[in-house]
Amino acid sequence: MFHLKGKVAVVTGAARGIGRSISLALSQAGATIALIDLSADSLQGVHDEITAQGGQASMHACDITDPDMVAATFKDITEQHNALHILVNNAGITRDNLLMRLSQEDWEAPIRTNLTGAFNCTRAAVRPMMKQRYGRIINIASVVGMMGNAGQANYAASKAGLIGLTKSTAKEFGSRAITANALAPGFITTDMTAELPESTVQKLTENIPLGRMGKPEDVAPAVVFLASEDAGYITGQILPIDGGMVM
Ligand code: NDP
């Protein structure tokens, strides 16, 4: 198990799904977690789970698409915890539709949240990270950003963009001891994938060598590793966590 004692981690979209699982795992490894989501109410559950297991967490209502709100929230977090070592850009949305039927708003919404939101948070986090000469940025991309997906041109473009952002961040901040890596989960059972019809799930599963959908708990341990000091010589990498779907 990798240790994160004394480290402060920000997790966006922490209220549920993969973000909740990542927050719990980082806390179990010893980090203090600044939980971000659209509403503070939605964060109460994960906050209580962390404190019940003896961890420390703070809650921050913030829309990551709003650059001013992001700047103010990260300032609060840094002042409250006196540091910021780890950023997990996890918050994400889908607006699925076939390309010809995508409205302008449905094209732009996932890009605004999944890509611009991650940029806003990264820009706000790198200054305190540079001061500390320690930073771990972990972006939650998707296998769809690597292989595309019919009906998800907007989402795939946002996640492919996030991969480009990851590699550029890695190059720009490597000399400051800040690493940036991305995880590319496959199909993970959360609210985001709950709507998929059983027949689609069955078809998807046929193309997964490990023969099942993933769980949020399959993603979280890789975040803990990449956030640790032990992963200090890994940067600019994209790690699929997909049961072998993409290889
Ligand atoms: P969920 O939909 O379960 O959770 C997403 C969380 O992000 C929600 O709590 C949501 O808040 C929050 N959020 C959305 N928009 C914003 C915003 N503008 N500011 C702050 N918080 C926001 O998603 P998953 O757990 O399934 O996915 C997490 C990440 O993993 C996403 O980036 C997703 O693209 C990626 N991923 C997921 C896969 C899957 O199969 N599930 C596969 C590959 C990647 P609210 O509840 O208020 O809407």
Side-chain angles (χ1 to χ4, degrees), residues 12-20 22 36-39 42-43 60-66 89-94 112-114 117 139-144 155 158-159 162 183-194 196 213-214 216 219 241:
T12 68
R16 54 196 174 92
I18 296 171
R20 171 187 162 275
I22 289 170
I36 289 184
D37 212 294
L38 282 169
S39 85
S42 69
L43 288 168
H60 308 269
C62 174
D63 179 347
I64 60 159
T65 66
D66 179 336
N89 282 311
N90 165 79
I93 60 166
T94 51
R112 212 161 40 230
T113 300
N114 306 352
N139 294 327
I140 309 301
S142 167
V143 288
V144 164
Y155 180 75
S158 74
K159 294 298 187 178
L162 187 57
L183 301 184
F187 287 91
I188 311 293
T189 314
T190 66
D191 294 344
M192 190 179 264
T193 47
L196 290 175
M213 300 262 294
V219 178
I241 302 187

Side-chain angles (χ1 to χ4, degrees), residues 82-132:
N82 287 317
L84 198 178
H85 304 95
I86 299 158
L87 168 64
V88 185
N89 282 311
N90 165 79
I93 60 166
T94 51
R95 289 282 185 278
D96 296 355
N97 213 336
L98 294 173
L99 190 144
M100 284 177 70
R101 293 195 194 135
L102 269 180
S103 67
Q104 198 66 25
E105 170 54 22
D106 283 348
W107 163 255
E108 285 172 10
I111 291 172
R112 212 161 40 230
T113 300
N114 306 352
L115 180 55
T116 307
F119 162 72
N120 290 339
C121 294
T122 301
R123 186 175 51 184
V126 286
R127 202 176 294 275
M129 286 177 177
M130 284 194 299
K131 270 197 199 145
Q132 293 152 186

Side-chain angles (χ1 to χ4, degrees), residues 17-37:
I18 296 171
R20 171 187 162 275
S21 184
I22 289 170
S23 302
L24 289 168
L26 290 170
S27 166
Q28 280 155 13
T32 296
I33 320 297
L35 305 158
I36 289 184
D37 212 294

Side-chain angles (χ1 to χ4, degrees), residues 209-221:
L210 288 177
R212 65 170 176 87
M213 300 262 294
K215 303 185 296 277
E217 294 73 27
D218 292 318
V219 178

